[in-house]
Amino acid sequence: MIPRPHFRISVRALAEFCLDDGDLVSSFRASPSALEGRETHQLTQARRTPGYRPEQVVSLDWQHPDFDLTLSGRIDGAWGDGIEEIKTLRISPEELPDSARALNQRQAQLYAALWALPRPEQAQWTVRLCYVHSQTQQEWHEDEHWTREALLDRLTGHLTRYDHWLQQLHEHRHRRDRALARARFPFDQMRAAQRSMAETVYKAQALQRNALIEAPTGTGKTLAALFPSLKALGEGHHQGVYYLTMKNTGQPLVLDSIRALNLDTTDLITLNLQAKERLCLSPSTPCDGSVCPYARGYFDKRQRLRPALLEEGIWDQAALTSLGEEHQICPYYLSQDWAVWADLVVGDVNYLYDTTAVQPYLLREVDNQVAVLIDESHNLIDRGRAMFSAAFSGRTLTALNDAAPANVKAALKPVRRALQRCLNDQNGLSERRPEALVLALRTWLQASARLLREAPFWEPGPAWEALVFEAGRFTRIDELAQPHDFCWRYQGGESRAFDDKRIEVLCLNPSRLLTQKHDLVNSVTGFSATLTPWPYSLAMTGLANAVPLTLPSPFQPRQFRVTLITDVSTRYRDRAGLKDAVLPLVRQFRRQTRGNALVFFSSYQQMAGVFEAFADDPTVMAPTRDATLLERLALLDRLRNEQGLMVMAPLGGVLGEGIDLPGDALTGVMVVGPGLPQVNELNNRIRHALDRQGQPGFDFAYRYPGLHKVLQAAGRCVRTETDEGDIWLLDDRFAEYYRNGWLPPHWQVVMRQREEVLSTTPD
């Protein structure tokens, strides 16, 4: 029996939900950092007089005939006849947009109402909104005087509006749950491995556990993860599902899988989050209601359009764009706000895990418990490093400085000096923070709104937004960084032009911050075809406590003919003779491949030496580093429609994973070298950081990332139950990988010498 629905919402989230006036100003959507807020609140509270009661917890239970609602929060401070809401700012309150000030006022009023509710003896209340500058500690007080009766009317009005929305949402979810209970797997039967994966996903979500599943190609991972998650959703184990991908190309398959379930149009509300540039309807203007019509009056439009979410089954790019154009509202920010209420959210992994993402905050605010599915989760390690790293460059400063008015140029000078001063003191990788630059960037961000106000006839444009974003991201990541899993890279030698000077904050081990993100939701299930060795994947993805599962391949061993050529060395010290050793093997491989072949190299340099021998052969191709998306799609189209082609590519590139070439479109894959990342100072920093944390640093920094690239590339071969393919791995180290059990157990592996292979006559 499904328990009675119980919703929870914070005071801040309720105030934000009911906000119905003002323009969207995107630069003010994110509050100052959590660390700044905590420190400022503590300092401010410490300055108050005796009798002041900080951090007072308040809550209210609201009952509807069909569900319960709990409103809760924590008042920053209270005294005999008043309460105080403290807001940390980097600017003066006058520079806040009207919508931000209105939100803060509503929040303070709701806190006052909750505090006054059990105190009927007090008829008059002071509601204080206190803005505090995070660096100067200057305070601005805005006092309002309310009767207890008016405050309770205010509270009741907000709860009634939210109750009305929850009633609509509850009715939708009731229909959704009935539909999901009736839903059937869209194919006649599940494969055995697919069923095992589906059972693990369901059990993990029902128990609010994390899981990490290695599912070989052909398992049917998308439906094996999605179908049980929707069943668990219908049974009340969570309130929504997030299906996250590493590449946009994987998202249409998820939407097609939803359509295959044949649910009624609005039984399951699916929202496909898109990048801002894909949804922006006014790319030439900042996200500010004073210049962008789609940001003007955003909050009132959002209120009126909220019920429309429940009137469309799949909100993809086309549907969101159409709605935005019809109602003159920003579809990008609307989709971000709607994601909290959708049944299924499909999007890139950064929407939940990146430090600039709003979703984790919103999910926590409304207690929207979700189950997260992460496709190709082996990539979460590198994506985590990228999401938790940032850079600040002189080029960004120059781009704005060249077009800025005098007051903006003057404000940029301290930032330029700080960047140069930090670079004068450091070069290369360091554990030392660029404190002068961080301070200068924070000061500039604090002044940014005032600078715009002082130049009313100047339109800031993309260069302004780029600097605001880059400065904000850099200071935020620097604040999260700890020396044991981060370092800083200083690039600013005297020979460099100012535009080329830059400082980076680099994440070495993302597991700590990934774990913090995982902890925000009910459960996380990651799945990929390449997660072995388990100690590496469990530790580095931040899922150390996850339930691991390795599934057998749905394919037969006879479909794979795997040859390890173990007397070839691709090590850097042997690079001089590499072309002569590899070229005859590439020719032999091509002769025996009946369909098309992919040949992967550990570097462009390795590939170039071999590719030049085929320069006159139009059936041999190699994508360039700067190949466009259209060029890559054209290459894939040729592989699907022609025979006798051979394509050379670097390991870890776009051809190395995420593409599907069944049948004769691809019948052979050769991998030259174990794909170890380049030995350099940064990768050695990663290695030593992991060593200090008790992990096998060389394996985690070099060997296993390379192994995953090799296995992903080899996995392009044999995609269906009727495919057969040849896989050749060239390097003596692959013999050790085989003995260690790191190669797929369903492969039929033969170890051979180079001359033995070359002397074999192709079938």
Side-chain angles (χ1 to χ4, degrees), residues 173-231:
R173 289 180 174 177
H174 191 58
R175 294 192 303 271
R176 176 202 69 190
D177 294 347
R178 292 200 307 267
L180 290 175
R182 297 190 302 268
R184 295 293 177 262
F185 195 70
F187 300 104
D188 291 339
Q189 61 182 4
M190 281 187 174
R191 304 184 185 100
Q194 196 175 34
R195 181 175 294 279
S196 179
M197 176 174 172
E199 290 174 351
T200 300
V201 171
Y202 178 86
K203 290 176 182 176
Q205 293 175 352
L207 297 172
Q208 297 189 5
R209 295 285 305 277
N210 297 333
L212 200 56
I213 303 172
E214 185 173 66
T217 298
T219 302
K221 294 188 287 290
T222 301
L223 272 172
L226 190 56
F227 187 72
S229 299
L230 295 179
K231 284 291 187 179

Side-chain angles (χ1 to χ4, degrees), residues 142-394:
E142 297 181 2
D143 286 358
E144 295 179 337
H145 301 285
W146 288 70
T147 65
R148 178 177 180 272
E149 181 180 5
L151 285 173
L152 297 185
D153 285 345
R154 186 83 162 152
L155 174 63
T156 302
H158 280 62
L159 284 170
T160 300
R161 292 175 68 178
Y162 193 57
D163 179 283
H164 180 65
W165 165 246
L166 289 184
Q167 177 62 36
Q168 298 176 67
L169 190 67
H170 172 72
E171 292 171 357
H172 158 73
R173 289 180 174 177
H174 191 58
R175 294 192 303 271
R176 176 202 69 190
D177 294 347
R178 292 200 307 267
L180 290 175
R182 297 190 302 268
R184 295 293 177 262
F185 195 70
F187 300 104
D188 291 339
Q189 61 182 4
M190 281 187 174
R191 304 184 185 100
Q194 196 175 34
R195 181 175 294 279
S196 179
M197 176 174 172
E199 290 174 351
T200 300
V201 171
Y202 178 86
K203 290 176 182 176
Q205 293 175 352
L207 297 172
Q208 297 189 5
R209 295 285 305 277
N210 297 333
L212 200 56
I213 303 172
E214 185 173 66
T217 298
T219 302
K221 294 188 287 290
T222 301
L223 272 172
L226 190 56
F227 187 72
S229 299
L230 295 179
K231 284 291 187 179
L233 173 66
E235 295 172 9
H237 293 299
H238 41 252
Q239 294 183 23
V241 178
Y242 270 53
Y243 193 111
L244 306 179
T245 66
M246 298 295 165
K247 297 178 181 177
N248 290 337
T249 52
Q251 295 171 22
L253 177 60
V254 184
L255 301 182
D256 289 343
S257 297
I258 293 300
R259 295 183 180 100
L261 294 177
N262 291 320
L263 299 168
D264 287 343
T265 305
T266 58
D267 280 345
L268 188 78
I269 306 303
T270 300
L271 183 68
N272 187 193
L273 293 175
Q274 301 280 335
K276 187 176 180 181
E277 56 267 22
R278 288 173 176 262
L279 286 177
C280 182
L281 299 177
S282 184
S284 61
T285 62
C287 297
D288 189 322
S290 63
V291 290
C292 175
Y294 301 97
R296 191 171 303 129
Y298 172 82
F299 295 101
D300 176 58
K301 296 173 186 175
R302 184 187 65 175
Q303 282 285 357
R304 289 186 284 106
L305 283 175
R306 188 175 284 123
L309 168 67
L310 308 180
E311 299 169 2
E312 181 86 23
I314 296 180
W315 288 99
D316 56 11
Q317 181 179 355
L320 288 166
T321 300
S322 176
L323 186 77
E325 290 173 340
E326 179 183 355
H327 295 278
Q328 292 285 287
I329 188 171
C330 175
Y332 172 74
Y333 281 108
L334 184 65
S335 67
Q336 294 283 321
D337 288 333
W338 274 3
V340 175
W341 312 111
D343 303 314
L344 171 65
V345 175
V346 181
D348 190 272
V349 69
N350 74 290
Y351 287 113
L352 196 61
Y353 286 84
D354 194 278
T355 56
T356 59
V358 298
Q359 288 309 314
Y361 175 71
L362 291 175
L363 289 170
R364 185 173 65 244
E365 281 289 279
V366 297
D367 194 37
N368 188 0
Q369 299 300 304
V370 299
V372 175
L373 304 173
I374 305 177
D375 199 358
E376 301 292 354
S377 56
H378 66 281
N379 282 319
L380 189 58
I381 302 167
D382 284 342
R383 284 294 299 273
R385 285 197 181 104
M387 289 187 291
F388 303 138
S389 297
F392 187 81
S393 70

Side-chain angles (χ1 to χ4, degrees), residues 63 90 149 198 224 226 366 383 470 493 509 526 569 577 606 614 651 656 658 708 738 757:
Q63 288 192 329
R90 296 173 178 173
E149 181 180 5
L226 190 56
V366 297
R383 284 294 299 273
E470 193 169 299
N509 180 357
S569 171
Q606 282 184 1
F614 296 90
L651 275 172
H708 282 185
Y738 178 62
V757 172

